[in-house]
Amino acid sequence: MIRVIQSHQRGQFPREIDAMHRIRKKVFHDRLGWDVSIIRDWEVDGFDALDCVYLICVDDEERILGSIRLLPTIGCNMLNDVFPELLPDGARVESPLIWESSRFSIDPDADVELTRNRLSRPTAELILGMNELGRELGLSHIVTVYDAFIARVLRRADCRGEPISSPIRIGKTIAFAALFEIGDEMEAALRKASGITGPVLEAGRQMARSDAA
């Protein structure tokens, strides 16, 4: 199940937010060795202070398994403001219909279920959750910057994006940037790859539509 938490709701979900930042530290700092900002046991950056939305993967026992952060591309975001070298000719991706996903992370210590394509169920749920939420908000695309490991995950999920530019090396990482269209095609591919049939977003949510603009 995917729990949707808007930035102004962080105080209402302290357990989820704490677990999310701790998992991000384990993934990006401890495991991948990225040069990220660490505050105690949290990985946190300036984009967490913006008007973002978190998708948190929660299992039936309320354990936090992973998360993705979403940001509108109108305003500051990682692709435009941290990785502009991935944009051709100095262009910016800016549209109220396009949001950016970042900080995708699955708890490396969690015992997670693998789907028929050896895709972790939390991974499949998070990507399906992005598509479901995107459809609710009337988005056309999700844009994201990702590395070679995530590229392999996306191939297993049969999740095909439109490259924005050729992959480039940034530090020790080969970085990709691509647009992923929200809609039936992405959903069908993910459901076939994962075997997940029902909706993944938690019921009873109240998403402020104004945050999509």
Side-chain angles (χ1 to χ4, degrees):
M1 176 183 69
I2 301 300
R3 185 160 294 155
V4 180
I5 303 175
Q6 294 176 259
S7 55
H8 68 270
Q9 297 174 315
R10 289 173 62 100
Q12 300 174 36
F13 298 92
R15 186 181 68 88
E16 289 88 345
I17 295 299
D18 177 67
M20 175 191 72
H21 285 294
R22 288 175 182 271
I23 290 170
R24 282 169 40 174
K25 176 184 179 292
K26 286 195 287 186
V27 170
F28 299 115
H29 179 269
D30 301 348
R31 190 172 186 178
L32 297 177
W34 289 8
D35 183 17
V36 292
S37 176
I38 302 300
I39 300 175
R40 295 187 295 276
D41 289 325
W42 283 22
E43 186 279 315
V44 60
D45 65 17
F47 296 100
D48 290 304
L50 301 181
D51 192 14
C52 55
V53 176
Y54 302 106
L55 302 188
I56 310 288
C57 186
V58 183
D59 71 7
D60 292 340
E61 298 178 2
E62 286 290 317
R63 292 176 298 192
I64 311 303
L65 302 179
S67 67
I68 290 178
R69 179 179 64 195
L70 300 178
L71 276 166
T73 57
I74 300 297
C76 295
N77 57 75
M78 298 196 74
L79 175 59
N80 289 331
D81 301 296
V82 179
F83 301 110
E85 59 267 51
L86 286 166
L87 293 165
D89 302 322
R92 291 176 67 87
V93 175
E94 292 180 308
S95 169
L97 302 181
I98 301 174
W99 279 18
E100 177 192 72
S101 72
S102 60
R103 289 305 193 253
F104 167 80
S105 51
I106 303 296
D107 188 348
D109 298 325
D111 183 15
V112 299
E113 176 187 347
L114 295 179
T115 69
R116 62 185 62 167
N117 279 19
R118 297 196 58 77
L119 185 70
S120 80
R121 186 178 179 91
T123 295
E125 287 192 2
L126 284 166
I127 303 174
L128 276 168
M130 280 196 297
N131 193 65
E132 284 185 35
L133 185 63
R135 297 181 80 153
E136 286 186 12
L137 297 175
L139 303 183
S140 64
H141 293 81
I142 294 290
V143 67
T144 189
V145 175
Y146 54 98
D147 62 10
F149 172 75
I150 297 299
R152 293 192 294 272
V153 171
L154 292 172
R155 284 196 294 271
R156 285 200 295 271
D158 197 21
C159 192
R160 304 178 188 278
E162 176 186 349
I164 293 174
S165 64
S166 299
I168 65 172
R169 180 174 291 278
I170 300 177
K172 299 178 181 179
T173 302
I174 300 297
F176 303 75
L179 283 162
F180 294 85
E181 185 174 3
I182 298 293
D184 292 342
E185 186 175 346
M186 177 185 284
E187 180 176 342
L190 285 165
R191 292 197 184 284
K192 182 178 179 181
S194 67
I196 297 173
T197 57
V200 298
L201 294 185
E202 185 176 31
R205 292 166 292 105
Q206 292 187 344
M207 180 75 181
R209 181 63 181 86
S210 60
D211 282 358

